[in-house]
Amino acid sequence: MTAVLEPTTSASTSALDPVEADRRDRKVALAATLRLFARLGYEFGFNGHLTVRDPGSDDLFWANPWQVPFGRVRVSDLLLVDASGAIVAGPPGAVVSGFASQRVLHSARADAVAVVHVHSPAGFTWSSSPRVLEPLTTDAALLHGLQAVHEDFGRTGEGRATTADSLGPTARVLIQRGHGFITVGRSLPEAAFYFIAAERAAAAALQLAAAGHGEPIEASLLPKWTLTPELAEQHFEPHLRQVLHDEPDLLG
């Protein structure tokens, strides 16, 4: 993970071995992202799942606890689950939900260290007729070439594409029919920023469609804007720092 945490957090991990320090950073990023998503209005009931692989094992993952409000999640609330979804560590009586779908993507791609799926408003509206988000603004152009569509979400039967099949080997944002966005990244900050960018692009596209106009950006300009994993992490850094500054209790 390349994001730089607040000095207080960095100091608390400086005496740890590299794996423990990385684990702490991943858990802090997960708790902070949940707090941020609460601010952004992405929480809807108990829907929404954020997971990040534990640096000590390919088969262990940190996840948000079921029915704990995003805006109140602390590092100590996070759950460590195994590949089957069984809780290995966490508060007594805690429950994890939705891990099976996350696990599919963690298993499908080595770079899917983090998987993000929440029920955000514009993303769910856009997904009712799933199609790739066009680069109608330079903000939307950040996702150029990084998207895929999952037409078969919720359907069963022979020949239906799985979530992992639809994501493919390179896409970072999956638009699921009737079920919003799911994003993957080599870190939680990367995956989280793809999600924020997709939600913003969907909102802009819906507004422009309602206004009756909107033209894609010239194709020759798109490579200048398209995100790389490094850029996505850097874009998320101010969000992470702001949440850690405003809500230091999440470290508890």
Side-chain angles (χ1 to χ4, degrees), residues 117-141:
H117 170 65
V118 289
H119 291 206
S120 57
F124 261 66
T125 302
W126 184 261
S127 70
S128 68
S129 180
R131 57 198 186 280
V132 170
L133 290 155
E134 291 188 274
L136 301 176
T137 66
T138 53
D139 281 356

mmCIF file of all heavy atoms in Angstrom, residues 117-141:
data_model
loop_
_atom_site.group_PDB
_atom_site.id
_atom_site.type_symbol
_atom_site.label_atom_id
_atom_site.label_comp_id
_atom_site.label_asym_id
_atom_site.label_seq_id
_atom_site.Cartn_x
_atom_site.Cartn_y
_atom_site.Cartn_z
ATOM 1 N N HIS A 117 -17.783 -2.851 -2.703
ATOM 2 C CA HIS A 117 -19.141 -2.820 -3.255
ATOM 3 C C HIS A 117 -20.085 -2.237 -2.218
ATOM 4 O O HIS A 117 -20.252 -2.795 -1.130
ATOM 5 C CB HIS A 117 -19.622 -4.218 -3.634
ATOM 6 C CG HIS A 117 -21.087 -4.250 -3.975
ATOM 7 N ND1 HIS A 117 -21.604 -3.577 -5.067
ATOM 8 C CD2 HIS A 117 -22.145 -4.826 -3.353
ATOM 9 C CE1 HIS A 117 -22.921 -3.753 -5.102
ATOM 10 N NE2 HIS A 117 -23.274 -4.504 -4.076
ATOM 11 N N VAL A 118 -20.670 -1.096 -2.532
ATOM 12 C CA VAL A 118 -21.700 -0.496 -1.693
ATOM 13 C C VAL A 118 -22.844 -0.029 -2.588
ATOM 14 O O VAL A 118 -22.690 0.070 -3.800
ATOM 15 C CB VAL A 118 -21.156 0.679 -0.845
ATOM 16 C CG1 VAL A 118 -20.241 0.177 0.248
ATOM 17 C CG2 VAL A 118 -20.438 1.707 -1.705
ATOM 18 N N HIS A 119 -23.994 0.252 -1.972
ATOM 19 C CA HIS A 119 -25.188 0.591 -2.729
ATOM 20 C C HIS A 119 -25.330 2.105 -2.866
ATOM 21 O O HIS A 119 -26.184 2.729 -2.238
ATOM 22 C CB HIS A 119 -26.413 -0.027 -2.058
ATOM 23 C CG HIS A 119 -26.453 -1.518 -2.163
ATOM 24 N ND1 HIS A 119 -27.641 -2.228 -2.127
ATOM 25 C CD2 HIS A 119 -25.469 -2.442 -2.297
ATOM 26 C CE1 HIS A 119 -27.376 -3.526 -2.245
ATOM 27 N NE2 HIS A 119 -26.061 -3.674 -2.332
ATOM 28 N N SER A 120 -24.504 2.690 -3.694
ATOM 29 C CA SER A 120 -24.491 4.140 -3.894
ATOM 30 C C SER A 120 -25.613 4.559 -4.848
ATOM 31 O O SER A 120 -25.983 3.806 -5.751
ATOM 32 C CB SER A 120 -23.133 4.575 -4.449
ATOM 33 O OG SER A 120 -22.850 3.886 -5.662
ATOM 34 N N PRO A 121 -26.158 5.750 -4.674
ATOM 35 C CA PRO A 121 -27.362 6.148 -5.429
ATOM 36 C C PRO A 121 -27.190 6.195 -6.951
ATOM 37 O O PRO A 121 -27.950 5.559 -7.682
ATOM 38 C CB PRO A 121 -27.677 7.544 -4.867
ATOM 39 C CG PRO A 121 -27.054 7.565 -3.514
ATOM 40 C CD PRO A 121 -25.813 6.746 -3.640
ATOM 41 N N ALA A 122 -26.221 6.949 -7.435
ATOM 42 C CA ALA A 122 -26.077 7.098 -8.887
ATOM 43 C C ALA A 122 -25.652 5.791 -9.538
ATOM 44 O O ALA A 122 -26.104 5.458 -10.635
ATOM 45 C CB ALA A 122 -25.063 8.200 -9.201
ATOM 46 N N GLY A 123 -24.790 5.036 -8.856
ATOM 47 C CA GLY A 123 -24.338 3.762 -9.406
ATOM 48 C C GLY A 123 -25.477 2.783 -9.598
ATOM 49 O O GLY A 123 -25.546 2.077 -10.621
ATOM 50 N N PHE A 124 -26.393 2.740 -8.644
ATOM 51 C CA PHE A 124 -27.524 1.826 -8.781
ATOM 52 C C PHE A 124 -28.477 2.273 -9.866
ATOM 53 O O PHE A 124 -29.028 1.453 -10.609
ATOM 54 C CB PHE A 124 -28.234 1.657 -7.428
ATOM 55 C CG PHE A 124 -27.825 0.396 -6.727
ATOM 56 C CD1 PHE A 124 -26.528 0.238 -6.267
ATOM 57 C CD2 PHE A 124 -28.715 -0.649 -6.552
ATOM 58 C CE1 PHE A 124 -26.131 -0.927 -5.650
ATOM 59 C CE2 PHE A 124 -28.328 -1.828 -5.944
ATOM 60 C CZ PHE A 124 -27.039 -1.975 -5.482
ATOM 61 N N THR A 125 -28.681 3.573 -9.993
ATOM 62 C CA THR A 125 -29.535 4.067 -11.065
ATOM 63 C C THR A 125 -28.925 3.746 -12.427
ATOM 64 O O THR A 125 -29.602 3.245 -13.331
ATOM 65 C CB THR A 125 -29.733 5.590 -10.934
ATOM 66 O OG1 THR A 125 -30.302 5.870 -9.661
ATOM 67 C CG2 THR A 125 -30.648 6.121 -12.021
ATOM 68 N N TRP A 126 -27.641 4.006 -12.556
ATOM 69 C CA TRP A 126 -26.953 3.747 -13.826
ATOM 70 C C TRP A 126 -27.007 2.278 -14.209
ATOM 71 O O TRP A 126 -27.159 1.921 -15.369
ATOM 72 C CB TRP A 126 -25.504 4.221 -13.733
ATOM 73 C CG TRP A 126 -24.754 4.074 -15.014
ATOM 74 C CD1 TRP A 126 -23.903 3.065 -15.357
ATOM 75 C CD2 TRP A 126 -24.808 4.945 -16.144
ATOM 76 N NE1 TRP A 126 -23.413 3.254 -16.627
ATOM 77 C CE2 TRP A 126 -23.959 4.409 -17.129
ATOM 78 C CE3 TRP A 126 -25.487 6.131 -16.404
ATOM 79 C CZ2 TRP A 126 -23.768 5.012 -18.352
ATOM 80 C CZ3 TRP A 126 -25.308 6.739 -17.638
ATOM 81 C CH2 TRP A 126 -24.454 6.183 -18.597
ATOM 82 N N SER A 127 -26.901 1.401 -13.217
ATOM 83 C CA SER A 127 -26.804 -0.031 -13.495
ATOM 84 C C SER A 127 -28.123 -0.652 -13.933
ATOM 85 O O SER A 127 -28.155 -1.815 -14.328
ATOM 86 C CB SER A 127 -26.285 -0.777 -12.264
ATOM 87 O OG SER A 127 -27.247 -0.808 -11.221
ATOM 88 N N SER A 128 -29.216 0.109 -13.877
ATOM 89 C CA SER A 128 -30.498 -0.455 -14.312
ATOM 90 C C SER A 128 -30.471 -0.774 -15.807
ATOM 91 O O SER A 128 -31.205 -1.647 -16.274
ATOM 92 C CB SER A 128 -31.641 0.509 -14.005
ATOM 93 O OG SER A 128 -31.547 1.678 -14.803
ATOM 94 N N SER A 129 -29.657 -0.067 -16.546
ATOM 95 C CA SER A 129 -29.446 -0.355 -17.960
ATOM 96 C C SER A 129 -27.940 -0.331 -18.185
ATOM 97 O O SER A 129 -27.391 0.647 -18.709
ATOM 98 C CB SER A 129 -30.144 0.692 -18.839
ATOM 99 O OG SER A 129 -29.942 0.419 -20.212
ATOM 100 N N PRO A 130 -27.266 -1.373 -17.751
ATOM 101 C CA PRO A 130 -25.808 -1.310 -17.620
ATOM 102 C C PRO A 130 -25.074 -1.077 -18.938
ATOM 103 O O PRO A 130 -25.330 -1.728 -19.937
ATOM 104 C CB PRO A 130 -25.460 -2.680 -17.033
ATOM 105 C CG PRO A 130 -26.565 -3.575 -17.462
ATOM 106 C CD PRO A 130 -27.797 -2.714 -17.441
ATOM 107 N N ARG A 131 -24.196 -0.118 -18.874
ATOM 108 C CA ARG A 131 -23.314 0.173 -19.993
ATOM 109 C C ARG A 131 -22.117 0.931 -19.436
ATOM 110 O O ARG A 131 -22.185 1.523 -18.361
ATOM 111 C CB ARG A 131 -24.014 0.991 -21.075
ATOM 112 C CG ARG A 131 -24.589 2.312 -20.608
ATOM 113 C CD ARG A 131 -25.617 2.841 -21.581
ATOM 114 N NE ARG A 131 -26.098 4.180 -21.223
ATOM 115 C CZ ARG A 131 -27.011 4.423 -20.297
ATOM 116 N NH1 ARG A 131 -27.533 3.411 -19.609
ATOM 117 N NH2 ARG A 131 -27.412 5.659 -20.046
ATOM 118 N N VAL A 132 -21.042 0.902 -20.168
ATOM 119 C CA VAL A 132 -19.830 1.585 -19.745
ATOM 120 C C VAL A 132 -20.083 3.085 -19.666
ATOM 121 O O VAL A 132 -20.779 3.661 -20.516
ATOM 122 C CB VAL A 132 -18.678 1.276 -20.726
ATOM 123 C CG1 VAL A 132 -17.472 2.158 -20.454
ATOM 124 C CG2 VAL A 132 -18.283 -0.194 -20.625
ATOM 125 N N LEU A 133 -19.525 3.713 -18.663
ATOM 126 C CA LEU A 133 -19.633 5.160 -18.496
ATOM 127 C C LEU A 133 -18.748 5.866 -19.515
ATOM 128 O O LEU A 133 -17.546 5.616 -19.585
ATOM 129 C CB LEU A 133 -19.212 5.559 -17.083
ATOM 130 C CG LEU A 133 -20.176 5.123 -15.973
ATOM 131 C CD1 LEU A 133 -19.424 4.995 -14.655
ATOM 132 C CD2 LEU A 133 -21.328 6.110 -15.863
ATOM 133 N N GLU A 134 -19.348 6.737 -20.311
ATOM 134 C CA GLU A 134 -18.584 7.467 -21.319
ATOM 135 C C GLU A 134 -17.774 8.590 -20.675
ATOM 136 O O GLU A 134 -18.166 9.145 -19.641
ATOM 137 C CB GLU A 134 -19.526 8.065 -22.361
ATOM 138 C CG GLU A 134 -20.199 7.069 -23.258
ATOM 139 C CD GLU A 134 -20.946 7.771 -24.367
ATOM 140 O OE1 GLU A 134 -22.117 8.151 -24.131
ATOM 141 O OE2 GLU A 134 -20.367 7.969 -25.451
ATOM 142 N N PRO A 135 -16.664 8.964 -21.303
ATOM 143 C CA PRO A 135 -15.846 10.069 -20.788
ATOM 144 C C PRO A 135 -16.441 11.415 -21.158
ATOM 145 O O PRO A 135 -15.904 12.158 -21.992
ATOM 146 C CB PRO A 135 -14.495 9.842 -21.462
ATOM 147 C CG PRO A 135 -14.835 9.197 -22.773
ATOM 148 C CD PRO A 135 -16.021 8.316 -22.472
ATOM 149 N N LEU A 136 -17.561 11.757 -20.531
ATOM 150 C CA LEU A 136 -18.245 13.011 -20.841
ATOM 151 C C LEU A 136 -17.588 14.211 -20.176
ATOM 152 O O LEU A 136 -17.807 15.348 -20.588
ATOM 153 C CB LEU A 136 -19.712 12.920 -20.402
ATOM 154 C CG LEU A 136 -20.526 11.795 -21.047
ATOM 155 C CD1 LEU A 136 -21.932 11.757 -20.460
ATOM 156 C CD2 LEU A 136 -20.577 11.951 -22.566
ATOM 157 N N THR A 137 -16.806 13.956 -19.135
ATOM 158 C CA THR A 137 -16.020 14.992 -18.456
ATOM 159 C C THR A 137 -14.632 14.423 -18.227
ATOM 160 O O THR A 137 -14.412 13.211 -18.332
ATOM 161 C CB THR A 137 -16.632 15.370 -17.091
ATOM 162 O OG1 THR A 137 -16.535 14.232 -16.210
ATOM 163 C CG2 THR A 137 -18.097 15.777 -17.228
ATOM 164 N N THR A 138 -13.697 15.281 -17.880
ATOM 165 C CA THR A 138 -12.359 14.760 -17.594
ATOM 166 C C THR A 138 -12.364 13.906 -16.330
ATOM 167 O O THR A 138 -11.541 12.993 -16.194
ATOM 168 C CB THR A 138 -11.338 15.902 -17.463
ATOM 169 O OG1 THR A 138 -11.811 16.857 -16.502
ATOM 170 C CG2 THR A 138 -11.084 16.574 -18.800
ATOM 171 N N ASP A 139 -13.269 14.197 -15.400
ATOM 172 C CA ASP A 139 -13.405 13.321 -14.241
ATOM 173 C C ASP A 139 -13.815 11.916 -14.665
ATOM 174 O O ASP A 139 -13.262 10.919 -14.194
ATOM 175 C CB ASP A 139 -14.439 13.882 -13.262
ATOM 176 C CG ASP A 139 -13.899 15.011 -12.407
ATOM 177 O OD1 ASP A 139 -12.695 15.311 -12.514
ATOM 178 O OD2 ASP A 139 -14.679 15.591 -11.637
ATOM 179 N N ALA A 140 -14.806 11.822 -15.545
ATOM 180 C CA ALA A 140 -15.251 10.524 -16.021
ATOM 181 C C ALA A 140 -14.172 9.824 -16.845
ATOM 182 O O ALA A 140 -14.086 8.593 -16.878
ATOM 183 C CB ALA A 140 -16.526 10.676 -16.845
ATOM 184 N N ALA A 141 -13.328 10.624 -17.503
ATOM 185 C CA ALA A 141 -12.255 10.054 -18.314
ATOM 186 C C ALA A 141 -11.229 9.296 -17.473
ATOM 187 O O ALA A 141 -10.450 8.506 -18.008
ATOM 188 C CB ALA A 141 -11.558 11.161 -19.109
#
